[in-house]
Amino acid sequence: MQLSKRVQQVAPSVTLTITAMARALKDGGKDVVGLGAGEPDFNTPQHIIEAAIQAMNAGHTKYTPASGIASLKEAIIRKFHRDNRLQYTANQVMVTVGAKHALYNLFQALLDPGDEVIIPTPYWVSYVEQVKLAGGVPVLLEGKEEDGFKISTSDLAAAVTERTKAFLINSPSNPTGAVYTKEELTDLGRVCIDQNVTIISDEIYEHLIYSGQPHISMASLGEEYYNQTVIINGVSKTYSMTGWRIGYVAGNADLIQAMSNISSHSTSNPASIAQYAAIAALEGPQEPVATMRTAFAQRRDFLVAALQQLPGISASTPAGAFYVYANIAESMKAKSIKTSAEWAQKLLEEELVAVVPGSAFGTDEHVRLSYATSMEQLEKAVERIKRFVDIQ
């Protein structure tokens, strides 16, 4: 069967591939330490689970509007006002099947063939593939390691062409944990406003910042920024609800309607039960978020300190998210390994530690290690990585 040219150019998700390999080894009885998956190890808070049970018992098990139930939209609107000082109306908000689905629908609604989307590297694995699926052209803009993996305003301005349709920024970042300051966001946003480039702000990790600096939403920087920005968010990371698949998007009402139309012909609607659970997440007790964030900060500090002691590896302290993006260039050289994918595969095969190669994120001298796992597992992982990188 002949596949479409469109789908043939799409690469599979490396993070999901690594996770599947690790799971297969585990199923075979191997003691694998998984540092690949981008999801918290905490269970969903109990009050959210109870809300789902109540929704099922109340009969909320049917189709919903394609853009989400009104009560969840209202909860999202209140969340934006509470956390980001932003005012949205119901026709500016859409609920999606995870934040990934929000991005997919956005690119489908926004891009024509040949339209360019500027994406800083390192980037989350699905950005590039989703742009290509929509017929767009990813334009990769290097965030240098010596600059904290952040791009500069001058580099962004130089990358804009007459075909540039959008600029995508992810702060806090997956995979680096970089967090842009208010001043940096203001300057980057100004370039987009002046050039009439849509700003796509992926804020899925907004509540996972450890440096003391506040999360700043690009849309909150003024009326022009608000009008030019589409915000992508969801409950997966903040509330440990990755499997519930609830994301949301806020922005221009016409764009939101177009995205909703796409959903009406594809997914129909996000799961009804998960939508009621998401209301409880956004409106219920927030203490579980603080508890999880505190644990992540402790794990981050341990992992960074441990990695810095290993030969051939360097790692800086990420400001947010729950990943360390470690430089393995010297280790690759010492072990005569040419790619990060090969390094990660050998680590998994020889020491049963799963990490994601940097090639998945646009660089090939790094690996991403998730510290969204227990301290016991992190200690075991460090011990095994030390054995792997030690050169006899």
Side-chain angles (χ1 to χ4, degrees), residues 38-61:
E39 61 180 350
D41 58 315
F42 296 88
N43 195 19
T44 303
Q46 190 60 35
H47 70 278
I48 299 173
I49 294 173
E50 292 296 333
I53 294 171
Q54 292 172 15
M56 287 186 282
N57 289 332
H60 297 308
T61 56

Side-chain angles (χ1 to χ4, degrees), residues 253-267:
D254 291 337
L255 178 61
I256 296 299
Q257 182 59 59
M259 293 172 64
S260 178
N261 292 344
I262 293 171
S263 280
S264 71
H265 292 293
S266 54
T267 59

Side-chain angles (χ1 to χ4, degrees), residues 37 41 63 77 187 199 205 230 266 268 273 286 289 301 322 339 365 370 377 392:
D41 58 315
Y63 290 129
I77 289 168
D187 292 343
I199 302 164
Y205 294 98
V230 183
S266 54
S268 290
I273 300 155
Q286 300 299 301
V289 180
D301 293 345
F322 40 64
T339 68
E365 294 186 338
S370 170
Q377 290 292 95
Q392 303 302 324

